[in-house]
């Protein structure tokens, strides 16, 4: 069965530092991959998605992720953290176009002033 | 364009009572999904509607949960009777269909309903 793992349930970075949130998927066929963010007391918002084509995907708020098939990874990065980036981040996968979303366990990001 | 809306935002009920959650998808979206996140665990799929038909209900935990989507518009998820382990956040999502070739339609999520069963 397909699964999504995220290394680190909680990550803390200093304001202005690099943000790196790790995600790996387990599938014989690469799925479609997503990153969602949930800000406090809000719903899930799509940050970015990978379907086909370019493996480096740019999203909103300065985030980007790179699909690496050889490593079955889809890590999320941002060069410089802002206080407003504090939220919970979910890596997710979809096997086919209208299939259910398989979520990773989530990583809570804290940004230290 | 309005996003996915869910009602209520919070619900506190006692064990054995009935609760009905409502989801209004983005207008024109044929696909509607329900997910939930129980405390400390992952967000899990419950079921998928295409218009008014249940496409996949493999994630429904038991027969205490009943989902409907009358007329292919809004959907309700009823829990009867509620148990303590049903506490969590229930998310609804919708997507267009049929989609563009070459990739999945993005699922747009609502803010969730936070259910607490005492």
């Amino acid at each position: 069965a397909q699964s999504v793992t995220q290394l680190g349930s909680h990550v803390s970075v200093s304001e202005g530092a690099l943000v790196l949130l790790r995600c790996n998927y387990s599938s014989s066929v690469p799925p479609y991959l997503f990153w969602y963010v949930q800000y406090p007391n809000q719903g899930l918002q799509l940050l970015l998605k990978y379907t086909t084509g370019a493996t480096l995907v740019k999203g909103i708020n300065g985030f980007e992720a790179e699909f690496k098939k050889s490593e079955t990874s889809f890590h999320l990065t941002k060069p410089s953290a802002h206080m407003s980036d504090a939220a919970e981040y979910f890596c997710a996968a979809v096997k086919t176009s209208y299939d259910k979303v398989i979520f990773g366990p989530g990583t809570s990001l804290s940004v230290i002033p | 364009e309005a996003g996915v809306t869910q009602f209520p935002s919070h619900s506190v009920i006692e064990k054995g009572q009935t609760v009905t959650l409502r989801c209004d998808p983005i207008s024109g979206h044929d696909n509607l999904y329900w997910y939930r996140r129980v405390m400390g665990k992952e967000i899990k799929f419950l079921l998928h509607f295409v218009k008014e038909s249940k496409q996949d209900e493999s994630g429904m935990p038991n027969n205490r949960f009943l989902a409907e989507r009358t007329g292919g518009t809004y959907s309700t998820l009823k829990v009867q009777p509620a148990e303590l382990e049903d506490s969590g956040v229930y998310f609804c999502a919708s997507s267009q269909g049929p989609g563009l070739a070459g990739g999945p339609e993005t699922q747009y999520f609502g803010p969730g309903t936070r259910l607490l069963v005492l």
Side-chain angles (χ1 to χ4, degrees), chain B residues 23-39:
Chain B
C23 168
D24 286 78
I26 293 172
S27 178
H29 281 194
D30 289 338
N31 296 283
L32 188 149
Y33 306 79
W34 283 98
Y35 297 83
R36 76 170 178 178
R37 188 184 194 192
V38 296
M39 185 66 70

Side-chain angles (χ1 to χ4, degrees), chain A residues 4 32 34 36 38 41-44 46 49 51-52 88 90 94 96-101 103-106, chain B residues 31 33 35 37 42-43 45 48 56 58 91 95-99 102-107 109-111 114:
Chain A
V4 177
Y32 302 113
F34 303 78
Y36 283 88
Q38 185 178 23
N41 300 315
Q42 295 187 29
L44 294 165
L46 180 68
K49 67 180 180 182
T51 54
T52 58
E88 191 161 19
F90 296 92
V94 172
T96 61
S97 291
Y98 297 102
D99 203 3
K100 56 185 174 285
V101 178
F103 285 93
Chain B
N31 296 283
Y33 306 79
Y35 297 83
R37 188 184 194 192
E42 298 172 8
I43 301 171
F45 166 81
H48 170 203
D56 179 359
S58 61
F91 292 102
S95 69
Q96 284 185 310
E105 282 294 314
T106 296
Q107 293 185 24
F109 283 77
R114 285 151 183 79

Side-chain angles (χ1 to χ4, degrees), chain A residues 9-15 17-21 81 107-112:
Chain A
S9 59
H10 190 91
V11 171
S12 291
V13 300
S14 297
E15 191 174 15
L18 171 71
V19 176
L20 170 60
L21 304 182
T107 297
S108 179
L109 175 67
S110 297
V111 181
I112 304 166

